[in-house]
Amino acid sequence: MSTDPTTVASPQERAWRALPDALCRPSVLSLLRLSIAEDVDPNGEWDFEGEAPSRRDVTSTAVLAADAPLDGRLVAKEDGVVAGLPLADALCRLVDPALQFAPSVDEGERVEAGQLLATVKGPGRALLTAERPAINFVGRLSGIATRTRRFVDAVSHTEADILDTRKTLPGHRRPDKYAVRHGGGRNHRMGLYDMVLIKDNHIDGAGGIPEAVRRARDTHGDDYPIEVEVKTLDELDEALALAPDFILLDNMPPETLRQAVARTDGRVPLEASGGVTLDTVSTIAETGVDAISVGALTHSPETLDLSMRIH
């Protein structure tokens, strides 16, 4: 006789199972918990093992019978690229292990207005408690993936990659960057801990590019890749002499970028950055740079419009 896993695993354990490896982090689980607590506990103190959150949904507990089941259909209201469905699944499992979330499309898939993205069924009170935070996650991440895909498509005739930045919503770093990948972009550094990026303030504080690079190498050796930001062609020559792993060309016009590419001649990968838009990204890519970082992917995404239709 088999045992129903929903009666054995805790909501937290079931949430872990729904998350892809890239999002299996305590910070992501805490973010999901907080998104639920915002709706069910004015003090933000709801925890995984405490009272079922749907019991604190004062509208649903008043309007719906305790055993009333509902079916929900998550639907796109506009064209876009979907991302974040595993987060919605994990969130539903936290609210109530009896909720069954089933994606109808793959992460990173292009979808059209009116298309079904996922179904969810189970206890009605729990479903309506999970509805808004689940839509919030999928809508934001799908918005990031959609915008990223537009930038990727705009440079598809070149060899340039589209990179994200650390300009993410505080606390949402991993989900935001996860969405960039599903939009076809690449992640730059995840934080301050996984790459040395020597920017203008570091250079000014150290007394110049050579001294900043020397200190980084003396401190870390080859433990981390080193990228150096430059603003002029003279600074580029200075950085090239030090053979860093990457060079960031900051706010250079296209003609200067072309000169930088010619001077570098493939010795070091070049990243262009600074105020990049959909109107300018193609021209920047055509200069021959290897990558283009775009803060707008995550600092101001337009949420993809979604709805949950209940039956």
Side-chain angles (χ1 to χ4, degrees):
M1 177 178 175
S2 62
T3 302
D4 182 357
T6 65
T7 65
V8 177
S10 69
Q12 180 172 344
E13 291 169 334
R14 283 174 52 78
W16 275 115
R17 295 175 187 175
L19 294 172
D21 290 345
L23 296 178
C24 274
R25 299 291 190 279
S27 61
V28 175
L29 202 62
S30 296
L31 187 62
L32 292 171
R33 174 188 171 276
L34 176 61
S35 72
I36 299 168
E38 289 174 333
D39 272 335
V40 302
D41 188 344
N43 298 315
E45 296 174 352
W46 172 79
D47 60 48
F48 300 114
E49 310 303 333
E51 179 185 27
S54 57
R55 293 188 60 183
R56 299 186 184 184
D57 178 347
V58 297
T59 306
S60 296
T61 54
V63 173
L64 299 178
D67 59 351
L70 289 177
D71 290 347
R73 293 166 55 86
L74 183 62
V75 176
K77 297 177 70 175
E78 59 182 329
D79 298 350
V81 176
V82 68
L85 295 176
L87 284 166
D89 186 358
L91 187 140
C92 287
R93 297 179 189 219
L94 285 176
V95 171
D96 192 325
L99 287 176
Q100 300 175 43
F101 186 94
S104 300
V105 297
D106 294 328
E107 292 283 272
E109 185 174 331
R110 294 182 190 265
V111 297
E112 299 178 350
Q115 187 169 344
L116 177 68
L117 306 184
T119 60
V120 57
K121 61 182 179 179
R125 292 179 178 178
L127 195 159
L128 294 184
T129 300
E131 174 190 9
R132 175 44 53 190
I135 290 175
N136 287 347
F137 274 111
V138 180
R140 175 178 173 80
L141 269 61
S142 296
I144 292 172
T146 299
R147 175 170 286 187
T148 301
R149 185 65 59 82
R150 290 175 183 149
F151 275 89
V152 170
D153 289 347
V155 303
S156 61
H157 62 294
T158 74
E159 297 298 320
D161 289 325
I162 296 297
L163 307 181
D164 56 20
T165 69
R166 291 190 302 119
K167 297 176 181 178
T168 53
L169 186 66
H172 285 247
R173 176 71 52 76
R174 286 192 177 275
D176 281 4
K177 284 179 171 279
Y178 165 88
V180 167
R181 292 196 299 277
H182 282 287
R186 286 204 299 113
N187 295 150
H188 200 260
R189 56 180 179 164
M190 187 62 68
L192 298 176
Y193 56 83
D194 56 353
M195 180 180 184
V196 173
L197 176 51
I198 300 173
K199 296 177 68 67
D200 53 358
N201 288 333
H202 301 106
I203 292 167
D204 291 343
I209 292 174
E211 181 62 16
V213 172
R214 183 192 67 78
R215 292 180 185 182
R217 285 178 169 152
D218 286 350
T219 301
H220 300 298
D222 296 328
D223 291 343
Y224 303 98
I226 295 176
E227 182 168 15
V228 179
E229 177 185 87
V230 302
K231 296 181 179 297
T232 67
L233 292 176
D234 287 342
E235 288 182 350
L236 171 66
D237 290 338
E238 202 173 7
L240 284 171
L242 303 168
D245 297 286
F246 307 95
I247 293 177
L248 172 62
L249 309 173
D250 184 52
N251 278 294
M252 290 185 179
E255 182 52 40
T256 307
L257 290 174
R258 291 188 189 92
Q259 295 178 49
V261 170
R263 287 195 188 193
T264 302
D265 194 26
R267 287 176 287 169
V268 178
L270 298 177
E271 171 193 344
S273 180
V276 180
T277 69
L278 272 173
D279 291 333
T280 63
V281 70
S282 178
T283 299
I284 293 171
E286 289 166 358
T287 65
V289 294
D290 300 283
I292 304 169
S293 54
V294 185
L297 301 182
T298 55
H299 71 52
S300 54
E302 296 180 3
T303 299
L304 192 70
D305 196 6
L306 313 172
S307 67
M308 181 79 78
R309 298 173 182 173
I310 304 298
H311 300 277

